[in-house]
Amino acid sequence: MTWAWSAVAVAIGAAAGSLLSLLGIRAAPARLTRVNHAGRSVPAVLGVAFVGGLLVGAPATRALEGGGFGPVEAVTIAAVALVAAAGLLDDLLGGGAERGFRGHLGGLLRGRPTTGVLKLVVGIGSGVWLALVIGGGPARVTAAAVLVAASANLWNALDVRPGRSAKWGIVALAAVLAAAGETGMGLVAGAALGAALGVLPFDL
């Protein structure tokens, strides 16, 4: 899995480099800061750096190899970028009284759509899009879409302690990389694994 491990290395450098650059910006928007477990206000930019590492690691490694991505790999990368953009928009423009799934849907029913609803729609839509590209019968497409949505919710729930979501992500991505091998999806998994390794020390 030479190329897949190259993607890991490139993504580690890209994620760590982009994170160091983001942390060096002193005038971070107030909406992009959070109070951590130690009571300190810190920039909440790990997700931006992770996605940056993935978006650099996989295409750069594939370009060095001299090949392109198949539709499933391309849609996977695009879906990650879309969900990340919706999440960043929610961080920057959100912050209303609505909280959680019920709160955001309640706001929508009252005629007050929130950026949280946008994030929900983009997440579900991206999962369905990816499931349709993967293909198969209606049951498989439904199961794939549900798996994507459930995974997003699971990692969101894990992300309440330093490093916990990144560590479990590394375990899951290593398993995907081992199963995918020297394929386009292996490169995507390798880049995601590298990005997670790149941000883990900062998360901890």
Side-chain angles (χ1 to χ4, degrees):
M1 296 192 293
T2 306
W3 286 109
W5 287 111
S6 296
V8 173
V10 172
I12 288 175
S18 62
L19 187 52
L20 287 171
S21 299
L22 289 166
L23 293 176
I25 301 174
R26 296 184 182 277
R31 290 188 181 277
L32 283 182
T33 60
R34 297 290 185 271
V35 176
N36 70 4
H37 68 289
R40 295 195 302 269
S41 180
V42 296
V45 291
L46 290 175
V48 177
F50 171 82
V51 174
L54 170 62
L55 294 181
V56 170
T61 308
R62 181 57 97 187
L64 290 172
E65 187 186 4
F69 285 112
V72 175
E73 293 79 23
V75 170
T76 300
I77 294 174
V80 170
L82 283 173
V83 173
L88 181 60
L89 186 66
D90 185 42
D91 286 339
L92 290 171
L93 302 180
E98 294 83 0
R99 289 289 185 272
F101 184 78
R102 184 177 298 178
H104 289 296
L105 284 184
L108 180 62
L109 292 175
R110 291 191 296 272
R112 296 202 307 268
T114 65
T115 51
V117 169
L118 174 64
K119 186 167 65 173
L120 177 66
V121 170
V122 171
I124 293 175
S126 297
V128 172
W129 180 31
L130 180 56
L132 289 171
V133 172
I134 292 172
R140 182 177 178 181
V141 170
T142 301
V146 169
L147 177 61
V148 171
S151 297
N153 285 328
L154 173 60
W155 259 268
N156 190 55
L158 288 171
D159 193 24
V160 293
R161 293 288 185 275
R164 189 160 72 177
S165 64
K167 286 185 286 188
W168 280 108
I170 287 168
V171 171
L173 288 165
V176 174
L177 175 56
E182 202 69 30
T183 65
M185 190 52 71
L187 283 182
V188 174
L193 174 60
L197 288 168
V199 302
L200 180 60
F202 301 91
D203 197 3
L204 292 171

